[in-house]
Amino acid sequence: MADTPVVPTHLGIIMDGNGRWAQKRSLPRTAGHLEGLKALKRVIREAADQGIGYITFYVFSTENWKRSEQEVSYLMHLLVSKLHGELAFYQKYGIRILVRGKIDALPVQVQQAIEQTVDATRNNTTITAILAINYGGRDEICRAVNDFIAQNPGKSISEDALCSAMPLPQIPCVDMIVRSANEKRLSNFLLWDSAYAELAFYEKLWPDWDASDVQQICEEYRQRVRKFGGVQ
Ligand code: IPE
Ligand code: IPE
Ligand code: MG
């Protein structure tokens, strides 16, 4: 049966192009990451204004450890400082923070900052922002299957059982995934959930994103006809 989309209930964003943004300005790549955080704040506010309920940001992939030690450690420090430093922002705009990914493999300071922020924002209701940190779609599926096997030895897994074994089972599957910086791939993002997600790719580099990009995404989403294998 066809759906009539208004805005995506759950939007996924692959924030890409921070390095290129910095390179264009002869700045270190880290400057692009810092600027990217400002874009994240603009985008989240507009997403809330548009009535998007859930927004998942791809912050750090299971493959991003391949980057230089200096870049990885900058990103980890940035996470700690902005999770703590932006708490007033999350509270002011009613943003609940959740995370998904292999969190227990992150530096302990990052784990603590995550735990404190998730706890401090748990009663916020305007929008839920899910940060995908040390996130890999394949890793997530493997871990969910292994959890299922451990709890149900000898049983075969069904789609419903896998859905329940995935993290955040109460949160609706992503409706639309968008990516900045003109790359047209998923790079291991939300592989299970994206089965019927609408996809859109934009040229603009992530640090340049603002409210108008969220409006453009919502407009694009309204043009899509979701059929889920049925007939319109
Ligand atoms: C995305 O920007 C941020 C992360 C993956 C952490 P990039 O750092 O990948 O930027 P480009 O692709 O090099 O321009
Ligand atoms: C995907 O971007 C990961 C994040 C946005 C966190 P990458 O820049 O790492 O992806 P590839 O390497 O271009 O596919
Ligand atoms: Mg990139």
Side-chain angles (χ1 to χ4, degrees), residues 94-108:
I95 301 161
R96 176 172 66 145
I97 302 287
L98 295 176
V99 288
R100 74 196 273 184
K102 210 163 182 280
I103 302 303
D104 60 7
L106 288 166
V108 69

Side-chain angles (χ1 to χ4, degrees), residues 1-10 172-176 196-198 220-232:
M1 246 230 305
D3 257 10
T4 312
V6 183
V7 295
T9 301
H10 183 172
C173 262
V174 71
D175 297 294
M176 185 166 196
Y196 268 99
E198 298 297 323
E220 178 67 40
Y221 188 73
R222 280 189 274 278
Q223 312 293 320
R224 305 290 176 102
V225 179
R226 304 191 73 190
K227 298 196 281 184
F228 299 99
V231 178
Q232 198 197 345

Side-chain angles (χ1 to χ4, degrees), residues 58-75:
Y58 204 1
V59 174
F60 190 89
S61 76
T62 47
E63 288 73 39
N64 285 148
W65 299 104
K66 292 176 189 164
R67 298 185 177 202
S68 74
E69 202 268 323
Q70 190 224 5
E71 182 169 350
V72 169
S73 99
Y74 180 84
L75 284 166

